[in-house]
Amino acid sequence: MSIEVEENLNSEIILNEIIQYIALNYLSSFYLFCVVTSNTTKFIPNLENFHSFNFQYNQSENSKKVYQKGIDCGCQAFIISEDVFEKFLEDFYELHDISIQVFPEKHVLVYSELSEIDKKPLKNPAIDDLPHILFINLDLNSMKVKFSTTKFTGNNKESSSIYLITEIKINDGQEISSKLNGINLYPQKVHNLDGREIVLAIFNYLPYTIWKEVNDSNDEKVNSYEALQRTPLHIDGTETWVFLEFCKRINCSLLISLDEAGEWGEIFDNRTGNGIIGAVVERRAEVGVGALYSWYHESIFLSLSKFISRTGVTCITPKPRLRDPLGTPLLPFSLQLWIAVLISFIVGIISYKFLQKAESLIYQNSPNQTMTEISLNIIGIYVLQSVTLSMKSIGMFIFFMTVLILGLLLGNSYSSSLASVLTIPQYEKAIDTVEELAASGMEWGSTHDAWIFSILLATQPMILQLLSKFKTLSKENLEQRAIKKDLSFSIERLPYGHYAIGEYITEDTVYHYQTLTNDIYYELCVAMSTKTWPLMSQLDELILQIFESGIQKFVELDVVVKNSNNKIQLAVERSRHLETPGPTKLTPLHISGAFILLATGLCLSTLSFFIEIIYHRKNHGKVIRTRLNEA
């Protein structure tokens, strides 16, 4: 019995010494250690010099909450007893997915007093997200300690296979630290993946992500394969290019997950979804890219990379149309000025009548004009026509003098403005800014709700108005609305002067639209991955290096020139440069409004004459019958 106790004591001392050495030399930069054991574990490491979070795990609800608490507290290194390792892996995805804290480079140390590690846990898919894993096997029978790890690189099917790093003896009197000195127990597997496949979710969205099938798999254009059918593809794009460079750097190959119908997609509360982000949250893809913004809702379910680029979301709105020539007589004055003229006309008539009555009290032979004659005189003064004026009082003289001056000013102003209206084309009011778009009440839209994900939590009245007018329509409906010119279309301003424009905007319709002068909002484009994807740190490092180099400017230009319709790009860029045709020849159409006004007047006057004739004949008949009855 004493021998067995002594052996257990020796194994604990040896394991603790090895773990202390590894923690000091490989894991000391990490914030927190999680020591995971079971209620049957004989040995629990003692990490006196490190921040550690110890708990027993048995997959009960309470132990799951403790496990998740450790993740949220910042556990980057897990020291796990071999007897609980299988349970640890079974809940690895679930508990990391619902946690807030995200540390991509998890380091795991699994210790055991068996000569070989149990291969059963390695069949769990979670092992594919743990490249930094070390197995310690202490065998007291042979007095040896084996250090092994998973392959991870190369063929994905063999990535979980275990290979031996080193083996040391513990009974030769030499210190363990000296034996391990110079041996890399955590080899860097993520710097060279040796062709390991990474599944990337994208869809065709120029110029961010572009994919095309290649008929010949030996074609030099082939740079990826479709994830399910292994169809050879050629991919390109301002953001897809980042992953091509990423695979060149770490020696990986790309498999592409496609969902053209789902586009950006959405995530449901039960952790299912569609499109790019749905493929990632369901782990059909490891990472997704394609104008994905820093959305709050998606950040709860996924891990976001450093931003790849900045984009501004704006709209192209229908260009203002030429005003209807039927309204030409009204165009020289604004509505407010017409109201002022009408008020002055009414006030003039009333003043004229009042002064006429006052004058008749003073001068008995003063002429007494009817309201019709007064109105015609005022109108004549306003349109600069000669009128017959009769006056005997000074007050009437002053009144006519002021009315004549007002008529002179109004008449000349109207004539000069009318000349301008007739010779220079007049357009309807344009929608130039986001504020004007909201005030106009015009609908705007695209093929997916992703365009408004970033402003769903906004409280500004203007943004709320825009949200209420956003429409999600199919490409066919959008093409029809583009022809009708009754809808604004959301587009993106790329960082270096180009635009991301939907396919429903064609060469035939783009010339009828113009961009707004400002953006509805701007966003930062990121890549989204699962919360346990182990390569996020390497991707972030590459993104920052690309960003600081400035090479994205040339990549954007190259991608747009090769893949986009440059006529549409140029038309959108120059859409606010309206062509000014200059003076135009007058045609009958320009003064059709005046002819319509004349025709309306003739019709109304004729109708009035007929009514008067009928009325007078009826009254004349009554008078005759009355006289006959009296006789």
Side-chain angles (χ1 to χ4, degrees), residues 162-329:
I162 296 178
Y163 70 92
L164 183 67
I165 298 175
T166 188
E167 181 181 79
I168 62 172
K169 290 190 175 183
I170 55 175
N171 60 348
D172 56 359
Q174 189 178 0
E175 291 185 1
I176 294 176
S177 58
S178 61
K179 293 181 179 181
L180 296 177
N181 189 25
I183 300 174
N184 189 1
L185 299 179
Y186 278 99
Q188 279 294 350
K189 306 171 190 176
V190 295
H191 288 174
N192 183 359
L193 297 186
D194 194 21
R196 180 185 174 90
E197 295 170 343
I198 294 175
V199 184
L200 174 68
I202 63 172
F203 77 102
N204 249 334
Y205 181 53
L206 277 68
Y208 290 97
T209 51
I210 304 158
W211 67 270
K212 298 176 183 177
E213 287 190 14
V214 181
N215 296 327
D216 186 4
S217 59
N218 296 321
D219 195 320
E220 60 180 9
K221 292 182 179 180
V222 175
N223 53 16
S224 60
Y225 291 86
E226 197 272 329
L228 298 178
Q229 304 297 329
R230 300 288 171 142
T231 306
L233 302 176
H234 172 74
I235 61 174
D236 198 1
T238 57
E239 291 187 352
T240 315
W241 169 82
V242 174
F243 282 86
L244 292 173
E245 291 300 313
F246 183 59
C247 276
K248 288 180 182 178
R249 170 174 286 198
I250 65 173
N251 191 16
C252 65
S253 56
L254 286 176
L255 295 181
I256 305 300
S257 172
L258 301 174
D259 186 355
E260 290 299 312
E263 296 185 336
W264 293 276
E266 59 182 323
I267 299 174
F268 308 113
D269 292 337
N270 61 353
R271 302 199 66 83
T272 61
N274 53 41
I276 293 178
I277 56 180
V280 178
V281 80
E282 292 182 3
R283 295 186 179 273
R284 290 182 277 114
E286 297 170 80
V287 59
V289 73
L292 300 176
Y293 300 161
S294 306
W295 296 316
Y296 169 74
H297 179 263
E298 280 60 40
S299 69
I300 299 174
F301 296 87
L302 301 173
S303 179
L304 276 57
S305 72
K306 303 296 184 185
F307 76 91
I308 301 174
S309 62
R310 178 198 182 278
T311 182
V313 175
T314 186
C315 280
I316 52 174
T317 60
K319 288 182 178 179
R321 293 175 292 186
L322 284 171
R323 289 185 181 273
D324 192 341
L326 297 179
T328 299

Side-chain angles (χ1 to χ4, degrees), residues 90 112-113 144 158 173 193 205 228-229 267-268 306 334 344 361 407 426 428 449 474 479 497 542:
E90 287 177 1
S112 170
E113 295 183 41
K144 291 181 179 180
E158 301 176 357
L193 297 186
Y205 181 53
L228 298 178
Q229 304 297 329
I267 299 174
F268 308 113
K306 303 296 184 185
S334 65
S344 67
L361 294 175
Q426 300 295 310
E428 295 176 348
D449 287 342
S474 65
E479 287 179 2
L542 175 62

Side-chain angles (χ1 to χ4, degrees), residues 104 287 303-305 527-529 533-541:
V287 59
S303 179
L304 276 57
S305 72
M528 294 187 183
S529 73
W533 193 50
L535 303 177
M536 183 59 82
S537 296
Q538 284 68 35
L539 178 62
D540 285 343
E541 182 181 353

Side-chain angles (χ1 to χ4, degrees), residues 340-354:
V341 171
L342 179 61
I343 292 173
S344 67
F345 176 70
I346 295 172
V347 171
I349 293 174
I350 295 173
S351 300
Y352 194 172
K353 188 66 176 175
F354 173 78

Side-chain angles (χ1 to χ4, degrees), residues 420 422-427 579-585 590:
S420 174
L422 290 173
T423 54
I424 299 177
Q426 300 295 310
Y427 291 90
E579 295 183 2
T580 54
T584 58
K585 293 182 179 180
H590 285 85

